[in-house]
Amino acid sequence: MTTVTGPSGAPEARDTATPAADGAATSATTELPDLLPLTQWPRLTSAIPADPEVERRVAEILAQLTLEEKVGQMIQPELAELTHEDLREYGIGSALNGAGIWPGGKRHATVQDWIDAVDGFWQAAEEHWEGRPFRIPFMWATDAVHGHNNVHGATIFPHNIGLGAAGDPDLVRRIGVATAREVAATGMDWIFAPTVTTPRDRRWGRYYEGYGEDPALVHAYGRAMVEGLQGDAAALRTDEKVLATLKHWIADGGTENGGDRGTARCSEDVLRDIHAQGFLAGITAGAQSVMVSFSSWSNPANYDHSPEAGEPYNDKVHGSRYLLTDVLKDALGFDGIVISDWDAHAEVANCSAGDAGYAINAGLDVLMIAGREAWQSVHRTTVQYVRDGVIPRERIDDAVSRVLRVKMRAGLWEMPRPRERALAHAATPVVGCAEHRALSREAARKSLVLLKNTPGLLPLSRTARVLVTGSAADDLSKQCGGWTLTWQGDDLDRADLPDGSTLAEAVRAVVGSERCTVDPALVHADPADFDVAVVALGEDSYAEMRGTLKPWRSLGYADLKLSYARDVEVLRRLRTAGLPAVSFFFTGRPLYCTEEINLSDAFVAAWLPGPYAEGITDVLFAAADGAPGYDFQGRLSSSWPRTRDSAAVNGKPSHLPDYRVPEQETAPEGRYAPLFPVGHGLSLHDPAPGSGPLPSDVFHQAPPPPPADGPLRVLDAEGSPYRLRIGGHNTWSREDLSLTGPTRCLIVHADPVPAEKGTGLRLSFTGYPAFVYAESPTGTPADLRGHLEAGAHVRFRVRVLEQPSAPLYLACHDDYPAQPGVNLAPTLRQAAPGQWTSVSVPLTQLSAVGMDLRHVDVPFMLYTEGTALLEIADIGWSVP
């Protein structure tokens, strides 16, 4: 076994001050499995083995299904795109709710609302089988990645990056048990967790969904979470457990430059030894579902299974017969469901939103498809492909057999309907119960990693006069991160998490209102009035797409946004005033923040701890008797960067003596040696480190280009030199926007319209988070600071047909709208209804709110979360 050690090499005690307070004794060391190099894919033995009686029943039902019914079991639509009548007609096998989709569109839908919604679909599915000698139960699936995070009032746990730092597989197992109970209490059967990626590039926007860079840790946690969610074969059949899903198969954390849906270019050995470890452990623990990654694997082994079919295969894992069938099913022996990610089949060569034939032949069993027209088209085309011999009937029978097998293993034939299940009407409500919130609080305090400490400063006295400052001081979104009630989780407020506490509220609860002042921007308080400052800084909430940093971006926290840089100014002012500062960094990944550490007297990586900040104050403050209450237990599960460009620096895996750093990673040597390695973390009793500040990485910025002397075209009479696209809520693959015909998706309807100067666009925003944008067709950014120097404006003409119901932002970017924009709604309200009006926004205004004009691949974007009906035309940047 492997023991986690501290920087000195000695085994580290974990939370030893008051172990009983965490509900279970914590061992003095954390043991991880001893992994061995793999020369081939191992045959696995699942904790939930094949059952001859189940196989007999599966074959019996399969023989009685029509082809249309078989394909219906392979289709998984989304709540907003499915009706009861669809289930009666198609025999749909399962459905899901995406983030930000709630019963009746109610953001604060109650537990009973969820039960009623799931129960209604369950009953409609039952009606399809009336009059038949058999039935097939319906399954409901949900993203529950850090608790039952789509349901108002449910317990939210720390994200996986924090759990990895806790170094406690048993804690993860208990979180799995709690999550399963809350999901089951809403009548649901299946969750899309755990994520068992091994993230290797900090630019990836889903980095926090992984437990850490060490394959042994991911292996241990993958097993533990599956055991908590599913239990053994007998427990899985009860209505207190749910089906687990390992995701995302495979190497989504190993893509080049950390690209979301990017390409992994590693060898098959690296694929097995690093990126597969969580899957190997989870499948052995009995996981019944594996979700496929949006990403690609560029390797000769990843062959085109139908070279005669249209365009060449594009390496997408969703189309990889090698990885899905040859490896996952045949070599590893996985006999559960292989499910697609959201509309991901559409990104495979020879497929489209309404055609999944190539991906089905590769080995997909269930297709997660959002749009109503798309899932119905996939149903039609799949049936026709089988009749035409393009998809073998054996492939369909394999897929449906897996669906039936998993449903039987989950005991769904014997399970009561959702509204009658035990946890749905428990005497003490399960969802958000005190026991589970206490577990989340425990997880938060165990995940805290003390990176710097001044002896004698911590723990703080409960009678101290405390200034709480920094951008994250009173911000639940920054504490919780993405996938919290909504997809991006960036708009949370007190009503969304009524039982939660910000760090400011938790500190105030300890020292009292009279000794606590909260001033996030440090604009009112005088540091001289306090004994200590608690500084909360950190990233704004994000999920996939929005959180990914482009290759040209700095990994420096203060470089990423103006609002982040203001946190550094706060620390500088505190240092000048001589007030000791204890900093807590809320982040989904290790970032370069050496100056922030140097300016702090103590610095804690708090990750994304969730809404119960009492877990932080448990460690921050002394107990009532003045003695330390809890020590810092967390240890880094990912290397901490020394430089702004150390995005893909990872420690060398201990189980691979001949390991060679892949081309897409950087060797942890010289200037790229981690500032703090995996396993680093201080305890309160550790001696003071060496004197002097940590060495800083000098930031070199290229000089701006000369002032521009001409306009930048975006959309005018000649068309557009850019790729016009739609993205946002549940539009994972983005939609290309046509200038010659209508474009329809859930979030935006677009039509070309004649305008006075060429083609314009009519845009109907339907009330979901959505952005319409012009993107460089090559993806290469341009340094457009010359236009700023020339005093350019972003100009376009608009005709307002229906006023925006929410802020409508104008932006220009190098990414999804992670940077702020300029709200045009007040300007549009002044426009004459139905009349063309010119809008002109100076680049100085966009720059002032934080636009980074050094790297622009999207020179025009409109973003809103509300409704609006507009016509726009003649878009460009003009120079006076």
Side-chain angles (χ1 to χ4, degrees), residues 716-745:
D716 55 25
E718 300 178 40
S720 175
Y722 292 91
R723 185 179 184 182
L724 302 177
R725 309 193 78 189
I726 298 168
H729 176 86
N730 291 353
T731 309
W732 314 111
S733 301
R734 315 292 176 95
E735 296 279 347
D736 284 322
L737 196 158
S738 174
L739 287 176
T740 60
T743 304
R744 295 290 182 267
C745 59

Side-chain angles (χ1 to χ4, degrees), residues 761-777:
L761 286 168
R762 173 174 291 185
L763 302 174
S764 175
F765 294 91
T766 62
Y768 298 93
F771 46 103
V772 174
Y773 61 106
E775 180 184 56
S776 166

Side-chain angles (χ1 to χ4, degrees), residues 101-229:
I101 295 289
W102 312 283
K106 293 166 55 179
R107 183 183 179 99
H108 293 169
T110 66
V111 170
Q112 191 59 52
D113 290 333
W114 281 101
I115 294 170
D116 292 342
V118 175
D119 188 80
F121 282 104
W122 184 95
Q123 179 57 36
E126 289 290 301
E127 293 169 9
H128 175 85
W129 308 106
E130 289 181 351
R132 306 287 287 279
F134 65 94
R135 56 182 279 271
I136 300 177
F138 181 70
M139 282 195 298
W140 194 277
T142 189
D143 279 306
V145 298
H146 63 138
H148 200 6
N149 46 261
N150 290 332
V151 174
H152 181 250
T155 306
I156 303 298
F157 292 96
H159 270 296
N160 286 354
I161 185 69
L163 298 181
D168 188 343
D170 183 65
L171 173 69
V172 171
R173 187 177 292 105
R174 289 187 285 137
I175 289 173
V177 171
T179 301
R181 285 176 56 80
E182 296 207 11
V183 172
T186 54
M188 302 181 191
D189 314 287
W190 185 5
I191 73 167
F192 299 138
T195 301
V196 291
T197 183
T198 309
R200 308 289 286 182
D201 195 306
R202 288 146 196 80
R203 290 168 291 195
W204 188 35
R206 305 188 80 155
Y207 194 95
Y208 64 80
E209 295 187 43
Y211 297 116
E213 70 181 50
D214 182 359
L217 178 73
V218 179
H219 188 284
Y221 273 36
R223 173 187 290 273
M225 183 58 84
V226 170
E227 290 172 347
L229 292 168

Side-chain angles (χ1 to χ4, degrees), residues 803-810 822-831 864:
Q803 287 286 349
S805 65
L808 178 75
Y809 294 101
L810 169 69
V822 172
N823 182 14
L824 298 179
T827 300
L828 298 181
R829 292 191 189 103
Q830 299 175 13
T864 186

Side-chain angles (χ1 to χ4, degrees), residues 88-366:
R88 298 185 188 102
E89 178 180 353
Y90 289 90
I92 296 294
S94 63
L96 81 153
N97 58 278
I101 295 289
W102 312 283
K106 293 166 55 179
R107 183 183 179 99
H108 293 169
T110 66
V111 170
Q112 191 59 52
D113 290 333
W114 281 101
I115 294 170
D116 292 342
V118 175
D119 188 80
F121 282 104
W122 184 95
Q123 179 57 36
E126 289 290 301
E127 293 169 9
H128 175 85
W129 308 106
E130 289 181 351
R132 306 287 287 279
F134 65 94
R135 56 182 279 271
I136 300 177
F138 181 70
M139 282 195 298
W140 194 277
T142 189
D143 279 306
V145 298
H146 63 138
H148 200 6
N149 46 261
N150 290 332
V151 174
H152 181 250
T155 306
I156 303 298
F157 292 96
H159 270 296
N160 286 354
I161 185 69
L163 298 181
D168 188 343
D170 183 65
L171 173 69
V172 171
R173 187 177 292 105
R174 289 187 285 137
I175 289 173
V177 171
T179 301
R181 285 176 56 80
E182 296 207 11
V183 172
T186 54
M188 302 181 191
D189 314 287
W190 185 5
I191 73 167
F192 299 138
T195 301
V196 291
T197 183
T198 309
R200 308 289 286 182
D201 195 306
R202 288 146 196 80
R203 290 168 291 195
W204 188 35
R206 305 188 80 155
Y207 194 95
Y208 64 80
E209 295 187 43
Y211 297 116
E213 70 181 50
D214 182 359
L217 178 73
V218 179
H219 188 284
Y221 273 36
R223 173 187 290 273
M225 183 58 84
V226 170
E227 290 172 347
L229 292 168
Q230 292 190 171
D232 59 18
L236 181 59
R237 299 179 65 84
T238 69
D239 57 2
E240 294 198 2
K241 294 295 183 180
V242 294
L243 293 162
T245 303
L246 303 170
K247 64 183 192 182
H248 303 87
W249 176 264
I250 184 174
D252 56 342
T255 60
E256 188 174 39
N257 297 321
D260 193 52
R261 311 179 186 206
T263 301
R265 304 187 186 279
C266 59
S267 68
E268 193 162 359
D269 287 338
V270 168
L271 207 67
R272 280 190 295 258
D273 289 323
I274 292 180
H275 296 289
Q277 289 298 332
F279 295 94
L280 302 182
I283 292 171
T284 302
Q288 293 296 294
S289 176
V290 170
M291 184 183 293
V292 183
S293 172
F294 268 109
S295 58
S296 305
W297 182 48
S298 179
N299 190 283
N302 196 12
Y303 61 87
D304 186 342
H305 66 70
S306 298
E308 74 286 352
E311 59 184 307
Y313 167 55
N314 59 355
D315 290 337
K316 286 286 182 179
V317 181
H318 273 79
S320 175
R321 183 180 289 178
Y322 180 70
L323 291 175
L324 302 186
T325 298
D326 299 353
V327 173
L328 181 58
K329 293 182 176 182
D330 294 344
L332 300 183
F334 176 68
D335 65 358
I337 293 170
V338 177
I339 183 171
S340 77
D341 207 331
W342 192 285
D343 287 337
H345 68 278
E347 297 189 3
V348 177
N350 295 300
C351 292
S352 65
D355 181 345
Y358 188 99
I360 290 172
N361 273 338
L364 292 182
D365 303 318
V366 173

